[in-house]
Amino acid sequence: MADGTEQKSSNQMWGGRFASGPSAIMEEINASIGFDKKLYAQDIRGSIAHATMLAAKGIISGEDKDKIIHGLNTIQSEIEAGSFQFSRKLEDIHMNIEARLADLIGPAAGRLHTARSRNDQVALDFRLWVKEELQKTEAMLTALITAFLDRAEEHADTVMPGFTHLQTAQPVTFGHHCMAYVEMFGRDRARVRHAIEHMDESPIGAAALAGTGYPIDRHMTAKALGFREPTRNSIDTVSDRDFALEFLSIASICATHLSRLAEEIVIWSTPQFGFIRLSDAFSTGSSIMPQKKNPDAAELVRAKTGRINGSLIALLTIMKGLPLAYSKDMQEDKEQVFDSAESLELAIAAMTGMVRDLDVRADKMREAAGSGYSTATDLADWLVREAGLPFRDAHHATGHAVAMAEQKGCDLADLSLEELQSINPAITSGIFDVLSVEASVASRTSFGGTAPSEVRKQIAWWRAKN
């Protein structure tokens, strides 16, 4: 049997302008239902708000509104039960729902689209979805920050080496290192909150691009949908995807932070470092090497960053050459955001689990903290503070002390007072109060420093804020 029924249905959405249905190739490139069906709940929610407003303004009858809302709720139940039949012939989520609504309630379904276009409809659906995803991301980042605060409090006194250029620089505490990530993910959460505030405007009612002559109430629909207010320019409304770009930008920055953390976990879990052990829940073994315990979860988080960054570049490239207002190119926006949202959620969840489960090997960290003459800066600072040397002279004298310790194969703290005084006679026995790693970290009491007392202050501040 010829597929005339489906072709007629397809032609109805195009109207009388087209005498025949799109070719198979056109159908393939044009259909978006394969991915935008993810927006079904937002589409139905927006349609219920729109129908309620139309009835309140006397544009449709109360009876039609009730039929429409009942039909839409039925469709949502069908979709969530898995019994709804999505059709590629109907292009997108909007037309799939509208066609099923017509089956359920008859001619009243056709009144739902009064005073709106698929242009403002998709802008609404997508904006609602991104807003909800940002709210979910905010909650997940809060959980990750809490996990770091717990570990920081547990290890406020645990000494470890601090690095620059991945070379031992100065001793710090593991708690202080954890708090660095609290700051990073705190900034990510602040960006999420700002983006929610920034995009908190309702697009519905902008119609195709020029607004509508119907006496609609856009403030009513904005309030019903949880937006602060309606958008203020109908052309910009249907052509704007800044909210999607902001989401991808935030996701890319956050994923970069996650990737840096993942890299440290990979390094720290090697036998050469041995700072941490990953739990079995976030590790895998080797198919031929029984001794291996691979940090696959961290490695995959690191890899997700490239995928998320690629989505940002893709959407920026899609949008960069589009004239106002709507262009079909913008159909390519959703897959990038959907994929990045899924990747980011998974990465944050995995990292939160890893941070909570980490077995911190304080003994290995303490051993490494004293390597590489990490208290050399403390020696230079003591010469400035106690002996009155200019810092450059103190730096030069400290270099001599490091060279002497290297020659003797010992740490700075193991040099005798006589040996140190041969470098500079102003050195006294008080120097040994700063040459241990514990004394070094305890002395760094400047605001935001690594001293355990200061770390605990920052933890308390973040707990109050979190």
Side-chain angles (χ1 to χ4, degrees):
M1 179 178 176
D3 198 14
T5 302
E6 286 191 355
Q7 182 163 315
K8 181 180 179 183
S9 176
S10 178
N11 290 344
Q12 285 175 346
M13 84 173 76
W14 292 87
R17 169 68 179 82
F18 292 88
S20 62
S23 69
I25 294 174
M26 182 61 192
E27 180 182 309
E28 183 69 23
I29 198 171
N30 194 51
S32 61
I33 190 60
F35 52 85
D36 70 15
K37 62 185 177 183
K38 189 184 286 282
L39 299 173
Y40 77 89
Q42 291 76 23
D43 195 75
I44 289 170
R45 183 180 166 197
S47 291
I48 289 174
H50 185 64
T52 302
M53 180 275 296
L54 291 176
K57 298 299 291 182
I59 299 171
I60 65 172
S61 69
E63 182 182 356
D64 282 345
K65 177 205 74 172
D66 292 341
K67 288 181 180 178
I68 288 168
I69 292 175
H70 177 73
L72 289 170
N73 285 328
T74 300
I75 291 168
Q76 182 155 351
S77 297
E78 291 176 349
I79 293 173
E80 291 173 352
S83 61
F84 188 92
Q85 296 297 310
F86 292 102
S87 169
R88 288 178 59 81
K89 297 286 185 182
L90 295 172
E91 282 191 33
D92 57 32
I93 188 62
H94 321 300
M95 297 307 298
N96 269 264
I97 288 175
E98 187 173 320
R100 178 59 179 152
L101 187 63
D103 291 341
L104 290 171
I105 68 171
R111 296 188 174 90
L112 174 60
H113 209 55
T114 306
R116 76 174 182 184
S117 160
R118 280 194 291 176
N119 292 355
D120 63 339
Q121 191 177 356
V122 70
L124 172 66
D125 294 357
F126 197 21
R127 191 177 287 238
L128 278 173
W129 192 94
V130 170
K131 182 180 177 182
E132 291 165 12
E133 189 62 30
L134 284 167
Q135 290 167 336
K136 190 185 301 183
T137 303
E138 179 185 7
M140 294 186 75
L141 284 170
T142 296
L144 178 56
I145 289 167
T146 300
F148 267 115
L149 288 171
D150 291 342
R151 300 321 298 264
E153 194 157 38
E154 181 184 353
H155 291 283
D157 296 288
T158 300
V159 177
M160 69 172 289
F163 299 95
T164 60
H165 309 279
L166 203 56
Q167 304 294 314
T168 299
Q170 293 176 265
V172 296
T173 66
F174 185 59
H176 192 51
H177 200 99
C178 288
M179 291 303 293
Y181 283 107
V182 170
E183 294 289 335
M184 291 162 72
F185 294 119
R187 290 193 297 272
D188 291 328
R189 188 176 62 179
R191 277 185 280 269
V192 167
R193 290 171 174 171
H194 180 264
I196 292 171
E197 181 182 356
H198 206 199
M199 64 171 292
D200 204 16
E201 298 174 341
S202 172
I204 199 69
L209 81 159
T212 178
Y214 291 96
I216 63 173
D217 186 344
R218 294 190 63 209
H219 288 84
M220 179 180 174
T221 48
K223 183 178 180 180
L225 292 166
F227 288 107
R228 182 181 63 249
E229 59 186 344
T231 56
R232 294 179 177 272
N233 183 281
S234 58
I235 294 175
D236 176 64
T237 298
V238 298
S239 60
D240 168 43
R241 290 299 182 270
D242 285 4
F243 62 91
L245 287 168
E246 280 195 68
F247 174 83
L248 289 175
S249 176
I250 290 166
S252 294
I253 296 170
C254 183
T256 297
H257 293 156
L258 290 166
S259 184
R260 295 182 73 179
L261 173 58
E263 175 72 2
E264 293 205 309
I265 287 175
V266 169
I267 292 171
W268 291 348
S269 63
T270 62
Q272 291 78 11
F273 271 74
F275 287 2
I276 61 170
R277 289 191 186 96
L278 287 174
S279 70
D280 291 346
F282 295 99
S283 306
T284 64
S286 166
S287 60
I288 64 169
M289 294 172 284
Q291 84 282 7
K292 293 288 293 298
K293 189 173 185 180
N294 300 324
D296 282 11
E299 291 172 358
L300 288 167
V301 167
R302 192 173 56 186
K304 293 286 186 187
T305 303
R307 188 166 173 167
I308 293 170
N309 289 350
S311 293
L312 172 60
I313 297 302
L315 187 53
L316 283 168
T317 305
I318 289 165
M319 297 300 298
K320 73 175 182 63
L322 301 186
L324 300 180
Y326 181 83
S327 296
K328 192 70 170 180
D329 311 51
M330 293 160 70
Q331 182 169 290
E332 294 296 314
D333 55 3
K334 295 166 201 65
E335 286 181 286
Q336 313 299 331
V337 172
F338 294 160
D339 184 76
S340 292
E342 183 178 339
S343 294
L344 185 64
E345 278 185 38
L346 189 56
I348 296 174
M351 199 55 75
T352 303
M354 277 185 275
V355 170
R356 285 176 176 156
D357 286 1
L358 284 181
D359 177 14
V360 177
R361 301 184 65 189
D363 57 333
K364 295 287 287 186
M365 287 186 173
R366 171 61 182 81
E367 181 183 343
S371 67
Y373 309 104
S374 62
T375 59
T377 305
D378 297 276
L379 173 56
D381 287 343
W382 187 93
L383 288 168
V384 172
R385 186 174 59 250
E386 303 296 333
L389 270 66
F391 184 79
R392 287 302 173 196
D393 292 345
H395 187 281
H396 186 71
T398 300
H400 278 298
V402 169
M404 181 182 291
E406 283 183 330
Q407 187 175 11
K408 289 176 63 66
C410 67
D411 292 331
L412 287 173
D414 296 324
L415 293 174
S416 69
L417 179 59
E418 291 75 17
E419 287 169 325
L420 290 169
Q421 286 177 334
S422 72
I423 296 170
N424 191 299
I427 295 176
T428 70
S429 60
I431 192 66
F432 295 106
D433 293 335
V434 301
L435 289 184
S436 72
V437 291
E438 288 80 10
S440 174
V441 297
S443 71
R444 306 290 172 181
T445 55
S446 58
F447 186 83
T450 193
S453 59
E454 186 60 29
V455 170
R456 290 189 175 92
K457 287 179 186 176
Q458 297 303 327
I459 292 169
W461 186 87
W462 270 100
R463 287 208 187 276
K465 180 181 179 180
N466 209 33

